[in-house]
Structure formats: C-alpha cells, structure tokens
Amino acid sequence: MALHRGTRVYRNHQLLDGAAVALFPLPMCGRFALHASPEIVAEFLSLDEIDEFPPRYNIAPTQPILIAIGGHQDRPDANRANRSAQLARWGLIPSWVKDASKFPLLINARGETAATKNSFRAAMKYRRCLIPATEFYEWRRTGGGPSEPFLFRPKFGRPFAFAGLMETTIDPDGGEIDTAAIVTTKASGPPADIHDRMPVAIEEGEFERWLDCRDYNPAGVADLIAGSAVRGFEIVRIGTAVNKVMNADPSIQEPVDEHPIRSTGETKTAREADTGSHSDDVDQLKLI
DNA sequence: CCAGACGTTGTT
DNA sequence: GTCTGG
DNA sequence: CCAGACGTTGTT
DNA sequence: GTCTGG
C-alpha cells in the first residue's frame, strides 16, 4: 500500500524548484440504499426473475450489491430485455490483479476517463451494468467541521439505476468473484452544491443501450455519461447516523430540516406541491 | 528493454 | 497520517 | 463514503 | 493484460 500512496502523491504533483505543487485542482457515490421490493426492482429493470433480498438503507463499499447485466435482445421472442440480476462486491477488482489486498478499493470509476484506464477499460467495453437504488447519500465537506450527510431521493416513488461497471476475478482460492463500481461524473446543478462529483444515473429509456455491450461500445454510450444529470431528485440533509455502516435502519434517512434544501428537475417537489409550502425554500430551488 | 503501475475521493 | 473494514 | 485501528509476545 | 517511466 505504501507504494500506491507514494505513487498517488507523485502523480498528482510536480516538482518545481524542489517543491511539490499540485498539477491540477482535483475537484462520487460512496453509500446508497435499496429498499424496494424484489418484485418492483424486477419490473423496473425488466428482469424475468430475481432472488429475494432484504431492504437495505445503508449499503457501503465492500458489501454485496445487486447488479443487472445483459440486455441485448438475442431472443427472437423477446420484447423485454434479456437481463439478469446478481450480486457483486462493491469495489471493482480488474481481472489482472494478482493480490486484491494490495490493490485499492475502486468503488467509483470516473466516467470521463474510464474507457481508457487499464482498470476499467474492459469493463467499460464488455461489462457495463446497472445498479438499482432507491436513494443515495453524499457528504458535504465544510471548512474544518464534520462533513454533513445528505440524502438524494427521487421525488416520485420509483427506483433509479446507477451506471455501473462489473468485473470478474479469481480469488486466491480459485473461486470467481464478481465486483462492481459506480460510474461518476462532474456534478452539475443542485448536486454541485453538495459535492463536486456525482454518480451517473441511467434513464429507463436508455437501460438497453447502456447494458448492450455488443452493439454499443464505450463511444456509443459516452453521451449517457456526459449528459448525465441527476434529475427529479430532492436533496435533504439528514443526521449523522448514516455515517456508521452499522446504522442501517430506515430512521437514518429522516430529514433534519423541515423542507428539502435543494431539488433537481423541472418543477417544485411533489412534497411542496402537496403542502403548498413554498416559503423559504423556493429561492433555493435550483433547476438542472 | 524491464519495472512498476494500474484508482477515486479529498486535502493543502 | 494512513490503512482496513464495512 | 465514514469509522476505527494503528502492536508484540505469549497464553488459553 | 496494457500502459508509462526510466
């Protein structure tokens, strides 16, 4: 690990007059939830079948996550995509890695560069996947104080899907291990107030294209990443209980404030529309 | 040619 | 400060 | 992503 | 396996 750490420092800096200076300003998604029923998720992803799974409110790196793969309609009778769901460890391990313990945890892949990186190139070309979720979490770093957690949730009750990359590797015991990472891009709109990076979400109408690695190469899906916007979400500040992975019950999602501090999308939130409470939040309402 | 990295986020 | 575990 | 460890010798 | 640095 010392090697990697040293390398990172070296690559991000350049020696000028003997002093290390940053070459460029280094401007995510590290936690999410999935508590829709398996039936809803299967319908959402057009899966023929799906195993049971429990509701999870605090999914963290290294844990198993549900992913959907496949998608080319190679069955003549298929009007629904030929997809399947399975579990993968969150933290992608490239197939050529000999000792995963000496390799950093790749929970995110930068969408801007993933197609050219050794670690992601093959997955970007051959093993794109979707990662269903019902909410995700982001932390806002404040000056010196503790970071504040925020919940990003769709304004209308439906799951969404992250753009994911999947890889299969062989563990020391000879067993196959499937791993996955979430694709990220530069944050824009309201999410940018929380964090510089955000996960890429794929619209339902584009599931097929993202998953179909036979007919669409990385260039053929680049627009899904570049044009990604986290639309139709509201962003609410939540308590710090989410910080601890052990805290995994629904209460960790309870808002701290009365209203969402931000909303993404074209209109005011459903919640505000229902209650008619515009008030202080309206001027903070920003559109993507 | 061989050796060694292969990544993201964040920080200052 | 840095690494590991979840 | 955050939280929590970060070590050795020896013993049960 | 493939790329970069030396």
Side-chain angles (χ1 to χ4, degrees), chain A residues 66-205:
Chain A
L66 188 69
I67 67 172
I69 59 173
H72 192 270
Q73 303 192 2
D74 49 5
R75 296 179 308 178
D77 63 326
N79 189 25
R80 84 188 331 191
N82 180 23
R83 293 177 196 153
S84 61
Q86 63 169 85
L87 293 175
R89 172 196 186 256
W90 188 8
L92 186 144
I93 302 173
S95 60
W96 41 262
V97 165
K98 297 290 194 301
D99 183 356
S101 71
K102 291 189 172 60
F103 202 77
L105 196 64
L106 304 179
I107 66 170
N108 294 141
R110 291 179 72 95
E112 302 92 324
T113 55
T116 66
K117 298 288 186 180
N118 286 339
S119 292
F120 300 125
R121 185 187 306 116
M124 195 68 186
K125 189 172 181 181
Y126 299 111
R127 286 175 287 280
R128 300 190 297 266
C129 67
L130 290 171
I131 301 171
T134 48
E135 297 90 6
F136 68 95
Y137 306 99
E138 293 278 10
W139 280 259
R140 182 169 67 187
R141 303 255 170 177
T142 57
S147 58
E148 305 171 308
F150 288 81
L151 173 74
F152 285 60
R153 64 183 175 198
K155 281 181 284 189
F156 303 103
R158 186 148 176 85
F160 58 95
F162 296 121
L165 302 177
M166 187 266 243
E167 197 57 83
T168 301
T169 191
I170 306 296
D171 73 13
D173 304 328
E176 278 195 352
I177 303 181
D178 294 321
T179 61
I182 292 174
V183 178
T184 65
T185 191
K186 183 174 173 53
S188 61
D193 293 338
I194 309 298
H195 202 82
D196 290 335
R197 308 289 302 173
M198 65 180 183
V200 172
I202 304 293
E203 307 280 350
E204 288 190 58

